[in-house]
Amino acid sequence: MLNQKLERLHTIDREQFHLEKAQAVLQWDQETYLSEKGVDERSEQLALLEGISHAHLTAPETGRLLSELGCTQENPGGDESLPDLQRDFLKTLYRTYSRAVLLPGDFVSDAARAEGLSQAAWVNARRNNNFPAFLPHLIKMIDFSRRKAVYWGWKDNPYDGLLDIYEPGMGTQAITEVFTPLARELSSLLKKIAACPRPDNSFLQSEYNIDAQRSFCNEMLGRLGFNTQRGRMDISAHPFTTTLGSDDIRITTRYLPQQPLSSIFATIHEAGHAFYEMGFPAELRGTCLADGASMGIHESQSRLWENVIGRSKPFWEGMLPVLRSHFPQTLPRTTPDEFYRAINLAEPSLIRIEADEVSYSLHIILRFELERELFSGTLDPAELPAAWRKKMKELVGIEPETDSDGVLQDVHWSMGAFGYFPSYALGNLYGLGFWGQLKADIPGVDALIAACNFTPIMEWLRDRIYIHGRRLQPSALFKTVTGKTLSPQPFLDYIQSKYADIYRL
Amino acid sequence: MLNQKLERLHTIDREQFHLEKAQAVLQWDQETYLSEKGVDERSEQLALLEGISHAHLTAPETGRLLSELGCTQENPGGDESLPDLQRDFLKTLYRTYSRAVLLPGDFVSDAARAEGLSQAAWVNARRNNNFPAFLPHLIKMIDFSRRKAVYWGWKDNPYDGLLDIYEPGMGTQAITEVFTPLARELSSLLKKIAACPRPDNSFLQSEYNIDAQRSFCNEMLGRLGFNTQRGRMDISAHPFTTTLGSDDIRITTRYLPQQPLSSIFATIHEAGHAFYEMGFPAELRGTCLADGASMGIHESQSRLWENVIGRSKPFWEGMLPVLRSHFPQTLPRTTPDEFYRAINLAEPSLIRIEADEVSYSLHIILRFELERELFSGTLDPAELPAAWRKKMKELVGIEPETDSDGVLQDVHWSMGAFGYFPSYALGNLYGLGFWGQLKADIPGVDALIAACNFTPIMEWLRDRIYIHGRRLQPSALFKTVTGKTLSPQPFLDYIQSKYADIYRL
């Protein structure tokens, strides 16, 4: 039996869970159904709920109970006689609580105000290709981020403190070690591909009816295993996944008539996030442990489904007839192999969110290296546009003509979200590590995929990854699942072999 | 300039407004998009927000500020040197605050628990036609309601205290005075109609495609003047209107293939509620005064649009060609006059929510009379089924064979919502009172309606009714708009003349 203090903390945590999900409902609605003129007041509603939620988490009672249960910075899991599950619960709650209470109230509200101004300035600066107009805001955002990390105790290495928000336990050094060989090999592969003839994808440029796209995406979602009793798919400008309750996981996609791949791969990508959220075990339900291990691990799930499964030849051996049944007139009689080549073109490009599997990680590595230099003090923010162009040339082989297509393209820095980008590329690396183990454990997985039988994959992911929720840090989870430490090699092996086939290298 | 205390109360009120709208978002989502398995946790989220909202409203600071501004039970508007708008604000806030603080915490949670059990028992009792199984819960609900009224100071006449929740200022006596002649005249009209030949409505029984119903309802909604930049229409099992923000008013309808009138009149009815909510003036925005004057006044708006406008001959002179353009094959070449007769059948029926314009108010009067006797102690709850059958025979002329079609048909009593029903019939009376004034002020309103030009009606309603928000009590609002006190006569004149025409009496 749990003692009373622990029970009380569970009640506080469960209320916190509900408060966060209530905010998620309002945010989901804002992105999907809220009418134009309702946006301003919705922001006020969300700010109020955020304040209530923050006050609830940081109430003195929470700190007192955590301390009475023996939680400290050195031993966040508290009393060592407690069961592992309870220690993991305390550890996670303690970390969240500490992060929140260590920031002075004034600092939080100053930072929020500055972020609002910074985002508005970024929107204008990007529109007008005017980096100097954004620079003073960027400098402030760097300063707030640095101070935040210092408040949390990362005085000597603030960038590590920021990385730790998104990838607990992964610091600058560990990431540099995996990104360095990754950058070298991917740049080299991209150059080799550029010298080869380009597969034909012209049939993807015509008009694909939106109702038919929608019916295909919904059928595919069902075949992948998405449980519509516990979730749904809607439409939004930028596809996303959000959890509004333990049994209420929602994804969105978007339909563009001339770009059928956009809705298809957004659907698969978000389904991968949703499967993770739907798969946490009952014992973690409604607690702070019912969450992904990290941003990168979450991204490993979406990218595994989108790229490793969804952009594979076996997948389209099974799914192309289904797609054709929704587009009997539009889709030519391409073979699965031709379709597979057409959806896997790789070439240097300027914009991260449009990049292919080969170049995507290079866009991330560029951002990581610039952030690292900004926080170590070796790069002056005023020099960012030039540094961006130089690194793009080195890594991807091309340069943007404007800052809008370069250093101003992403929203992240304008929100002070430094340390976030690496998670995207780490997701690729975690994902291929997991995939290697899955293939060893499930012989003939390609044949299962070609038969649209995803159940064994889903069960494996559930039993090996989802089951841990947020109990393990990413590196511990990776070790538990694969027996290994993180390395770029499985991803490099996969991408080199895939593209050697596609481009007949 | 407002003094600091008043400003602080405005901040508290604005936060309260946001908290209530946030709950409305979660409730709207529950009725429209929430997946099956998400319902339980949504209830927990809503209960938590309700608790936070109640604690926020009843915080000691609110009471202290109200008292310092001179608000008392006798003078809820406070300091008489304040501008009228501020006194109306204080009056409304004080009433809401007092209602909330006068109920002891234990009473509120006991009542909430009992309501949950009572509703579940009612669902089963209705399904199994088992009134005795529901009786003990009903007795408890009556008792909780009586005690609630007593806590609020209505010791000698608790039913008046309950009526006052929904129709401030309208008591048993005032309602009895208007309901008595109404019952007599409507019963008599219903008998006369029963002796006449029934207009043909067989063409409404065929299959009306749901997509076409939806496109018609959306076109009609636009023609009525619904602003989709400030609201939207979705689908739910039971149509409703809800306000999620000052510029975010949402309605729902439902589509039944064999009952095209269901979606059409639900759309018009809910649009009438929405126009009211969209029409409050800027000076009341985001305050407790941005609300309807009462349930009955709100219902006057929905019923005015649905019945007086939407079931009129001029309306279908304008709208029938539009409807036909959505159902070129399905809808026969009926004239507007034939269509008008077909949608206005009147006949005795057992179920309130399916009743026509003539018999609807009789269903309400029956419930009002039973409630009045229950609370005065002259009717034993155990005798309700027999009393129900007797009154149905007297008022409507028929009797239910089962209690499920009789005393068990409505959810209201199982939730303890005694005093709610009269508002529905009062809505008819307010509505026709307003309509008389509107017709005097806008000559040729029938021609405007037949031309689908609803702007002058909308502007009149906005300038005469919506503009007051919740500042005036219903009787004061009625007097301000019409110069008269409430009487059943305008409604009776309207209904007798309309049905004399339809049934050629």
Side-chain angles (χ1 to χ4, degrees), chain A residues 450-469:
Chain A
C452 292
N453 177 2
F454 304 101
T455 311
I457 296 176
M458 190 77 87
E459 287 175 353
W460 188 94
L461 292 170
R462 187 193 63 203
D463 297 344
R464 306 295 293 272
I465 298 176
Y466 307 165
I467 195 171
H468 299 292

mmCIF file with all atom_site columns, all heavy atoms in Angstrom, chain A residues 450-469:
data_model
loop_
_atom_site.group_PDB
_atom_site.id
_atom_site.type_symbol
_atom_site.label_atom_id
_atom_site.label_alt_id
_atom_site.label_comp_id
_atom_site.label_asym_id
_atom_site.label_entity_id
_atom_site.label_seq_id
_atom_site.pdbx_PDB_ins_code
_atom_site.Cartn_x
_atom_site.Cartn_y
_atom_site.Cartn_z
_atom_site.occupancy
_atom_site.B_iso_or_equiv
_atom_site.pdbx_formal_charge
_atom_site.auth_seq_id
_atom_site.auth_comp_id
_atom_site.auth_asym_id
_atom_site.auth_atom_id
_atom_site.pdbx_PDB_model_num
ATOM 1   N N   . ALA A 1 450 ? 4.499  -6.098  -46.659 1.00 0.00 ? 450 ALA A N   1
ATOM 2   C CA  . ALA A 1 450 ? 3.939  -6.212  -48.014 1.00 0.00 ? 450 ALA A CA  1
ATOM 3   C C   . ALA A 1 450 ? 2.522  -6.780  -47.966 1.00 0.00 ? 450 ALA A C   1
ATOM 4   O O   . ALA A 1 450 ? 1.725  -6.554  -48.869 1.00 0.00 ? 450 ALA A O   1
ATOM 5   C CB  . ALA A 1 450 ? 4.829  -7.099  -48.879 1.00 0.00 ? 450 ALA A CB  1
ATOM 6   N N   . ALA A 1 451 ? 2.201  -7.504  -46.880 1.00 0.00 ? 451 ALA A N   1
ATOM 7   C CA  . ALA A 1 451 ? 0.851  -8.049  -46.722 1.00 0.00 ? 451 ALA A CA  1
ATOM 8   C C   . ALA A 1 451 ? -0.029 -7.095  -45.914 1.00 0.00 ? 451 ALA A C   1
ATOM 9   O O   . ALA A 1 451 ? -1.150 -7.451  -45.531 1.00 0.00 ? 451 ALA A O   1
ATOM 10  C CB  . ALA A 1 451 ? 0.921  -9.415  -46.035 1.00 0.00 ? 451 ALA A CB  1
ATOM 11  N N   . CYS A 1 452 ? 0.437  -5.868  -45.669 1.00 0.00 ? 452 CYS A N   1
ATOM 12  C CA  . CYS A 1 452 ? -0.283 -4.906  -44.822 1.00 0.00 ? 452 CYS A CA  1
ATOM 13  C C   . CYS A 1 452 ? -0.630 -5.494  -43.464 1.00 0.00 ? 452 CYS A C   1
ATOM 14  O O   . CYS A 1 452 ? -1.665 -5.170  -42.888 1.00 0.00 ? 452 CYS A O   1
ATOM 15  C CB  . CYS A 1 452 ? -1.555 -4.392  -45.516 1.00 0.00 ? 452 CYS A CB  1
ATOM 16  S SG  . CYS A 1 452 ? -1.248 -3.357  -46.933 1.00 0.00 ? 452 CYS A SG  1
ATOM 17  N N   . ASN A 1 453 ? 0.226  -6.361  -42.957 1.00 0.00 ? 453 ASN A N   1
ATOM 18  C CA  . ASN A 1 453 ? 0.021  -6.917  -41.615 1.00 0.00 ? 453 ASN A CA  1
ATOM 19  C C   . ASN A 1 453 ? 1.024  -6.261  -40.672 1.00 0.00 ? 453 ASN A C   1
ATOM 20  O O   . ASN A 1 453 ? 2.168  -6.704  -40.547 1.00 0.00 ? 453 ASN A O   1
ATOM 21  C CB  . ASN A 1 453 ? 0.201  -8.433  -41.637 1.00 0.00 ? 453 ASN A CB  1
ATOM 22  C CG  . ASN A 1 453 ? 0.056  -9.032  -40.239 1.00 0.00 ? 453 ASN A CG  1
ATOM 23  O OD1 . ASN A 1 453 ? -0.216 -8.315  -39.270 1.00 0.00 ? 453 ASN A OD1 1
ATOM 24  N ND2 . ASN A 1 453 ? 0.264  -10.323 -40.115 1.00 0.00 ? 453 ASN A ND2 1
ATOM 25  N N   . PHE A 1 454 ? 0.570  -5.214  -39.988 1.00 0.00 ? 454 PHE A N   1
ATOM 26  C CA  . PHE A 1 454 ? 1.471  -4.435  -39.141 1.00 0.00 ? 454 PHE A CA  1
ATOM 27  C C   . PHE A 1 454 ? 1.379  -4.841  -37.666 1.00 0.00 ? 454 PHE A C   1
ATOM 28  O O   . PHE A 1 454 ? 2.060  -4.279  -36.828 1.00 0.00 ? 454 PHE A O   1
ATOM 29  C CB  . PHE A 1 454 ? 1.183  -2.934  -39.301 1.00 0.00 ? 454 PHE A CB  1
ATOM 30  C CG  . PHE A 1 454 ? 1.276  -2.471  -40.723 1.00 0.00 ? 454 PHE A CG  1
ATOM 31  C CD1 . PHE A 1 454 ? 0.143  -2.275  -41.491 1.00 0.00 ? 454 PHE A CD1 1
ATOM 32  C CD2 . PHE A 1 454 ? 2.518  -2.272  -41.315 1.00 0.00 ? 454 PHE A CD2 1
ATOM 33  C CE1 . PHE A 1 454 ? 0.236  -1.866  -42.816 1.00 0.00 ? 454 PHE A CE1 1
ATOM 34  C CE2 . PHE A 1 454 ? 2.623  -1.861  -42.642 1.00 0.00 ? 454 PHE A CE2 1
ATOM 35  C CZ  . PHE A 1 454 ? 1.475  -1.668  -43.403 1.00 0.00 ? 454 PHE A CZ  1
ATOM 36  N N   . THR A 1 455 ? 0.513  -5.798  -37.382 1.00 0.00 ? 455 THR A N   1
ATOM 37  C CA  . THR A 1 455 ? 0.293  -6.179  -35.979 1.00 0.00 ? 455 THR A CA  1
ATOM 38  C C   . THR A 1 455 ? 1.569  -6.635  -35.268 1.00 0.00 ? 455 THR A C   1
ATOM 39  O O   . THR A 1 455 ? 1.836  -6.173  -34.150 1.00 0.00 ? 455 THR A O   1
ATOM 40  C CB  . THR A 1 455 ? -0.806 -7.257  -35.883 1.00 0.00 ? 455 THR A CB  1
ATOM 41  O OG1 . THR A 1 455 ? -1.930 -6.813  -36.650 1.00 0.00 ? 455 THR A OG1 1
ATOM 42  C CG2 . THR A 1 455 ? -1.230 -7.489  -34.453 1.00 0.00 ? 455 THR A CG2 1
ATOM 43  N N   . PRO A 1 456 ? 2.378  -7.518  -35.880 1.00 0.00 ? 456 PRO A N   1
ATOM 44  C CA  . PRO A 1 456 ? 3.590  -7.938  -35.151 1.00 0.00 ? 456 PRO A CA  1
ATOM 45  C C   . PRO A 1 456 ? 4.532  -6.763  -34.861 1.00 0.00 ? 456 PRO A C   1
ATOM 46  O O   . PRO A 1 456 ? 5.139  -6.709  -33.788 1.00 0.00 ? 456 PRO A O   1
ATOM 47  C CB  . PRO A 1 456 ? 4.245  -8.944  -36.114 1.00 0.00 ? 456 PRO A CB  1
ATOM 48  C CG  . PRO A 1 456 ? 3.131  -9.415  -36.992 1.00 0.00 ? 456 PRO A CG  1
ATOM 49  C CD  . PRO A 1 456 ? 2.209  -8.239  -37.150 1.00 0.00 ? 456 PRO A CD  1
ATOM 50  N N   . ILE A 1 457 ? 4.626  -5.828  -35.800 1.00 0.00 ? 457 ILE A N   1
ATOM 51  C CA  . ILE A 1 457 ? 5.486  -4.648  -35.572 1.00 0.00 ? 457 ILE A CA  1
ATOM 52  C C   . ILE A 1 457 ? 4.937  -3.832  -34.404 1.00 0.00 ? 457 ILE A C   1
ATOM 53  O O   . ILE A 1 457 ? 5.662  -3.445  -33.484 1.00 0.00 ? 457 ILE A O   1
ATOM 54  C CB  . ILE A 1 457 ? 5.537  -3.758  -36.837 1.00 0.00 ? 457 ILE A CB  1
ATOM 55  C CG1 . ILE A 1 457 ? 6.197  -4.520  -37.981 1.00 0.00 ? 457 ILE A CG1 1
ATOM 56  C CG2 . ILE A 1 457 ? 6.258  -2.444  -36.552 1.00 0.00 ? 457 ILE A CG2 1
ATOM 57  C CD1 . ILE A 1 457 ? 6.212  -3.762  -39.304 1.00 0.00 ? 457 ILE A CD1 1
ATOM 58  N N   . MET A 1 458 ? 3.623  -3.594  -34.441 1.00 0.00 ? 458 MET A N   1
ATOM 59  C CA  . MET A 1 458 ? 2.980  -2.807  -33.391 1.00 0.00 ? 458 MET A CA  1
ATOM 60  C C   . MET A 1 458 ? 3.158  -3.461  -32.023 1.00 0.00 ? 458 MET A C   1
ATOM 61  O O   . MET A 1 458 ? 3.452  -2.778  -31.031 1.00 0.00 ? 458 MET A O   1
ATOM 62  C CB  . MET A 1 458 ? 1.489  -2.681  -33.721 1.00 0.00 ? 458 MET A CB  1
ATOM 63  C CG  . MET A 1 458 ? 0.762  -1.706  -32.872 1.00 0.00 ? 458 MET A CG  1
ATOM 64  S SD  . MET A 1 458 ? 1.110  -0.041  -33.408 1.00 0.00 ? 458 MET A SD  1
ATOM 65  C CE  . MET A 1 458 ? -0.150 0.132   -34.663 1.00 0.00 ? 458 MET A CE  1
ATOM 66  N N   . GLU A 1 459 ? 3.005  -4.787  -31.977 1.00 0.00 ? 459 GLU A N   1
ATOM 67  C CA  . GLU A 1 459 ? 3.151  -5.474  -30.683 1.00 0.00 ? 459 GLU A CA  1
ATOM 68  C C   . GLU A 1 459 ? 4.584  -5.403  -30.173 1.00 0.00 ? 459 GLU A C   1
ATOM 69  O O   . GLU A 1 459 ? 4.827  -5.231  -28.978 1.00 0.00 ? 459 GLU A O   1
ATOM 70  C CB  . GLU A 1 459 ? 2.679  -6.929  -30.805 1.00 0.00 ? 459 GLU A CB  1
ATOM 71  C CG  . GLU A 1 459 ? 1.161  -6.994  -30.911 1.00 0.00 ? 459 GLU A CG  1
ATOM 72  C CD  . GLU A 1 459 ? 0.632  -8.407  -31.163 1.00 0.00 ? 459 GLU A CD  1
ATOM 73  O OE1 . GLU A 1 459 ? 1.454  -9.325  -31.396 1.00 0.00 ? 459 GLU A OE1 1
ATOM 74  O OE2 . GLU A 1 459 ? -0.608 -8.565  -31.128 1.00 0.00 ? 459 GLU A OE2 1
ATOM 75  N N   . TRP A 1 460 ? 5.531  -5.530  -31.100 1.00 0.00 ? 460 TRP A N   1
ATOM 76  C CA  . TRP A 1 460 ? 6.936  -5.442  -30.708 1.00 0.00 ? 460 TRP A CA  1
ATOM 77  C C   . TRP A 1 460 ? 7.231  -4.048  -30.135 1.00 0.00 ? 460 TRP A C   1
ATOM 78  O O   . TRP A 1 460 ? 7.839  -3.916  -29.072 1.00 0.00 ? 460 TRP A O   1
ATOM 79  C CB  . TRP A 1 460 ? 7.834  -5.738  -31.917 1.00 0.00 ? 460 TRP A CB  1
ATOM 80  C CG  . TRP A 1 460 ? 9.287  -5.858  -31.585 1.00 0.00 ? 460 TRP A CG  1
ATOM 81  C CD1 . TRP A 1 460 ? 9.988  -6.999  -31.302 1.00 0.00 ? 460 TRP A CD1 1
ATOM 82  C CD2 . TRP A 1 460 ? 10.236 -4.774  -31.484 1.00 0.00 ? 460 TRP A CD2 1
ATOM 83  N NE1 . TRP A 1 460 ? 11.300 -6.713  -31.040 1.00 0.00 ? 460 TRP A NE1 1
ATOM 84  C CE2 . TRP A 1 460 ? 11.488 -5.345  -31.144 1.00 0.00 ? 460 TRP A CE2 1
ATOM 85  C CE3 . TRP A 1 460 ? 10.151 -3.394  -31.647 1.00 0.00 ? 460 TRP A CE3 1
ATOM 86  C CZ2 . TRP A 1 460 ? 12.640 -4.572  -30.964 1.00 0.00 ? 460 TRP A CZ2 1
ATOM 87  C CZ3 . TRP A 1 460 ? 11.295 -2.630  -31.456 1.00 0.00 ? 460 TRP A CZ3 1
ATOM 88  C CH2 . TRP A 1 460 ? 12.533 -3.222  -31.119 1.00 0.00 ? 460 TRP A CH2 1
ATOM 89  N N   . LEU A 1 461 ? 6.792  -3.015  -30.842 1.00 0.00 ? 461 LEU A N   1
ATOM 90  C CA  . LEU A 1 461 ? 7.034  -1.643  -30.371 1.00 0.00 ? 461 LEU A CA  1
ATOM 91  C C   . LEU A 1 461 ? 6.386  -1.421  -29.006 1.00 0.00 ? 461 LEU A C   1
ATOM 92  O O   . LEU A 1 461 ? 6.964  -0.807  -28.112 1.00 0.00 ? 461 LEU A O   1
ATOM 93  C CB  . LEU A 1 461 ? 6.487  -0.625  -31.383 1.00 0.00 ? 461 LEU A CB  1
ATOM 94  C CG  . LEU A 1 461 ? 7.216  -0.550  -32.735 1.00 0.00 ? 461 LEU A CG  1
ATOM 95  C CD1 . LEU A 1 461 ? 6.434  0.309   -33.725 1.00 0.00 ? 461 LEU A CD1 1
ATOM 96  C CD2 . LEU A 1 461 ? 8.639  0.007   -32.564 1.00 0.00 ? 461 LEU A CD2 1
ATOM 97  N N   . ARG A 1 462 ? 5.188  -1.947  -28.860 1.00 0.00 ? 462 ARG A N   1
ATOM 98  C CA  . ARG A 1 462 ? 4.462  -1.788  -27.596 1.00 0.00 ? 462 ARG A CA  1
ATOM 99  C C   . ARG A 1 462 ? 5.201  -2.474  -26.453 1.00 0.00 ? 462 ARG A C   1
ATOM 100 O O   . ARG A 1 462 ? 5.433  -1.880  -25.395 1.00 0.00 ? 462 ARG A O   1
ATOM 101 C CB  . ARG A 1 462 ? 3.053  -2.373  -27.748 1.00 0.00 ? 462 ARG A CB  1
ATOM 102 C CG  . ARG A 1 462 ? 2.131  -2.125  -26.573 1.00 0.00 ? 462 ARG A CG  1
ATOM 103 C CD  . ARG A 1 462 ? 0.886  -2.999  -26.673 1.00 0.00 ? 462 ARG A CD  1
ATOM 104 N NE  . ARG A 1 462 ? 1.270  -4.416  -26.599 1.00 0.00 ? 462 ARG A NE  1
ATOM 105 C CZ  . ARG A 1 462 ? 0.525  -5.422  -27.080 1.00 0.00 ? 462 ARG A CZ  1
ATOM 106 N NH1 . ARG A 1 462 ? -0.621 -5.190  -27.693 1.00 0.00 ? 462 ARG A NH1 1
ATOM 107 N NH2 . ARG A 1 462 ? 0.947  -6.675  -26.943 1.00 0.00 ? 462 ARG A NH2 1
ATOM 108 N N   . ASP A 1 463 ? 5.610  -3.737  -26.698 1.00 0.00 ? 463 ASP A N   1
ATOM 109 C CA  . ASP A 1 463 ? 6.206  -4.523  -25.614 1.00 0.00 ? 463 ASP A CA  1
ATOM 110 C C   . ASP A 1 463 ? 7.634  -4.115  -25.302 1.00 0.00 ? 463 ASP A C   1
ATOM 111 O O   . ASP A 1 463 ? 8.131  -4.361  -24.205 1.00 0.00 ? 463 ASP A O   1
ATOM 112 C CB  . ASP A 1 463 ? 6.171  -6.011  -25.973 1.00 0.00 ? 463 ASP A CB  1
ATOM 113 C CG  . ASP A 1 463 ? 4.747  -6.524  -26.111 1.00 0.00 ? 463 ASP A CG  1
ATOM 114 O OD1 . ASP A 1 463 ? 3.822  -5.824  -25.639 1.00 0.00 ? 463 ASP A OD1 1
ATOM 115 O OD2 . ASP A 1 463 ? 4.557  -7.600  -26.703 1.00 0.00 ? 463 ASP A OD2 1
ATOM 116 N N   . ARG A 1 464 ? 8.324  -3.514  -26.287 1.00 0.00 ? 464 ARG A N   1
ATOM 117 C CA  . ARG A 1 464 ? 9.724  -3.195  -26.071 1.00 0.00 ? 464 ARG A CA  1
ATOM 118 C C   . ARG A 1 464 ? 9.959  -1.712  -25.779 1.00 0.00 ? 464 ARG A C   1
ATOM 119 O O   . ARG A 1 464 ? 10.914 -1.372  -25.080 1.00 0.00 ? 464 ARG A O   1
ATOM 120 C CB  . ARG A 1 464 ? 10.549 -3.616  -27.306 1.00 0.00 ? 464 ARG A CB  1
ATOM 121 C CG  . ARG A 1 464 ? 10.377 -5.063  -27.721 1.00 0.00 ? 464 ARG A CG  1
ATOM 122 C CD  . ARG A 1 464 ? 10.911 -6.001  -26.639 1.00 0.00 ? 464 ARG A CD  1
ATOM 123 N NE  . ARG A 1 464 ? 12.346 -5.901  -26.485 1.00 0.00 ? 464 ARG A NE  1
ATOM 124 C CZ  . ARG A 1 464 ? 13.225 -6.623  -27.184 1.00 0.00 ? 464 ARG A CZ  1
ATOM 125 N NH1 . ARG A 1 464 ? 12.805 -7.534  -28.035 1.00 0.00 ? 464 ARG A NH1 1
ATOM 126 N NH2 . ARG A 1 464 ? 14.523 -6.467  -27.004 1.00 0.00 ? 464 ARG A NH2 1
ATOM 127 N N   . ILE A 1 465 ? 9.120  -0.843  -26.327 1.00 0.00 ? 465 ILE A N   1
ATOM 128 C CA  . ILE A 1 465 ? 9.380  0.605   -26.193 1.00 0.00 ? 465 ILE A CA  1
ATOM 129 C C   . ILE A 1 465 ? 8.263  1.327   -25.438 1.00 0.00 ? 465 ILE A C   1
ATOM 130 O O   . ILE A 1 465 ? 8.496  1.934   -24.403 1.00 0.00 ? 465 ILE A O   1
ATOM 131 C CB  . ILE A 1 465 ? 9.572  1.242   -27.595 1.00 0.00 ? 465 ILE A CB  1
ATOM 132 C CG1 . ILE A 1 465 ? 10.792 0.616   -28.271 1.00 0.00 ? 465 ILE A CG1 1
ATOM 133 C CG2 . ILE A 1 465 ? 9.739  2.761   -27.476 1.00 0.00 ? 465 ILE A CG2 1
ATOM 134 C CD1 . ILE A 1 465 ? 11.039 1.077   -29.687 1.00 0.00 ? 465 ILE A CD1 1
ATOM 135 N N   . TYR A 1 466 ? 7.028  1.219   -25.963 1.00 0.00 ? 466 TYR A N   1
ATOM 136 C CA  . TYR A 1 466 ? 5.924  1.983   -25.378 1.00 0.00 ? 466 TYR A CA  1
ATOM 137 C C   . TYR A 1 466 ? 5.742  1.631   -23.890 1.00 0.00 ? 466 TYR A C   1
ATOM 138 O O   . TYR A 1 466 ? 5.372  2.482   -23.082 1.00 0.00 ? 466 TYR A O   1
ATOM 139 C CB  . TYR A 1 466 ? 4.597  1.712   -26.095 1.00 0.00 ? 466 TYR A CB  1
ATOM 140 C CG  . TYR A 1 466 ? 4.577  1.894   -27.597 1.00 0.00 ? 466 TYR A CG  1
ATOM 141 C CD1 . TYR A 1 466 ? 3.529  1.369   -28.357 1.00 0.00 ? 466 TYR A CD1 1
ATOM 142 C CD2 . TYR A 1 466 ? 5.590  2.588   -28.262 1.00 0.00 ? 466 TYR A CD2 1
ATOM 143 C CE1 . TYR A 1 466 ? 3.483  1.524   -29.730 1.00 0.00 ? 466 TYR A CE1 1
ATOM 144 C CE2 . TYR A 1 466 ? 5.550  2.739   -29.645 1.00 0.00 ? 466 TYR A CE2 1
ATOM 145 C CZ  . TYR A 1 466 ? 4.501  2.207   -30.376 1.00 0.00 ? 466 TYR A CZ  1
ATOM 146 O OH  . TYR A 1 466 ? 4.447  2.350   -31.736 1.00 0.00 ? 466 TYR A OH  1
ATOM 147 N N   . ILE A 1 467 ? 5.982  0.369   -23.575 1.00 0.00 ? 467 ILE A N   1
ATOM 148 C CA  . ILE A 1 467 ? 5.722  -0.132  -22.216 1.00 0.00 ? 467 ILE A CA  1
ATOM 149 C C   . ILE A 1 467 ? 6.467  0.667   -21.147 1.00 0.00 ? 467 ILE A C   1
ATOM 150 O O   . ILE A 1 467 ? 6.016  0.746   -20.000 1.00 0.00 ? 467 ILE A O   1
ATOM 151 C CB  . ILE A 1 467 ? 6.106  -1.637  -22.144 1.00 0.00 ? 467 ILE A CB  1
ATOM 152 C CG1 . ILE A 1 467 ? 5.521  -2.275  -20.898 1.00 0.00 ? 467 ILE A CG1 1
ATOM 153 C CG2 . ILE A 1 467 ? 7.622  -1.824  -22.210 1.00 0.00 ? 467 ILE A CG2 1
ATOM 154 C CD1 . ILE A 1 467 ? 5.682  -3.788  -20.869 1.00 0.00 ? 467 ILE A CD1 1
ATOM 155 N N   . HIS A 1 468 ? 7.587  1.291   -21.518 1.00 0.00 ? 468 HIS A N   1
ATOM 156 C CA  . HIS A 1 468 ? 8.379  2.021   -20.522 1.00 0.00 ? 468 HIS A CA  1
ATOM 157 C C   . HIS A 1 468 ? 7.888  3.451   -20.307 1.00 0.00 ? 468 HIS A C   1
ATOM 158 O O   . HIS A 1 468 ? 8.314  4.091   -19.350 1.00 0.00 ? 468 HIS A O   1
ATOM 159 C CB  . HIS A 1 468 ? 9.849  2.060   -20.944 1.00 0.00 ? 468 HIS A CB  1
ATOM 160 C CG  . HIS A 1 468 ? 10.454 0.695   -21.070 1.00 0.00 ? 468 HIS A CG  1
ATOM 161 N ND1 . HIS A 1 468 ? 10.658 -0.121  -19.979 1.00 0.00 ? 468 HIS A ND1 1
ATOM 162 C CD2 . HIS A 1 468 ? 10.865 -0.013  -22.150 1.00 0.00 ? 468 HIS A CD2 1
ATOM 163 C CE1 . HIS A 1 468 ? 11.191 -1.272  -20.379 1.00 0.00 ? 468 HIS A CE1 1
ATOM 164 N NE2 . HIS A 1 468 ? 11.314 -1.226  -21.700 1.00 0.00 ? 468 HIS A NE2 1
ATOM 165 N N   . GLY A 1 469 ? 7.027  3.939   -21.185 1.00 0.00 ? 469 GLY A N   1
ATOM 166 C CA  . GLY A 1 469 ? 6.589  5.329   -21.057 1.00 0.00 ? 469 GLY A CA  1
ATOM 167 C C   . GLY A 1 469 ? 7.797  6.233   -20.901 1.00 0.00 ? 469 GLY A C   1
ATOM 168 O O   . GLY A 1 469 ? 8.760  6.127   -21.666 1.00 0.00 ? 469 GLY A O   1
#
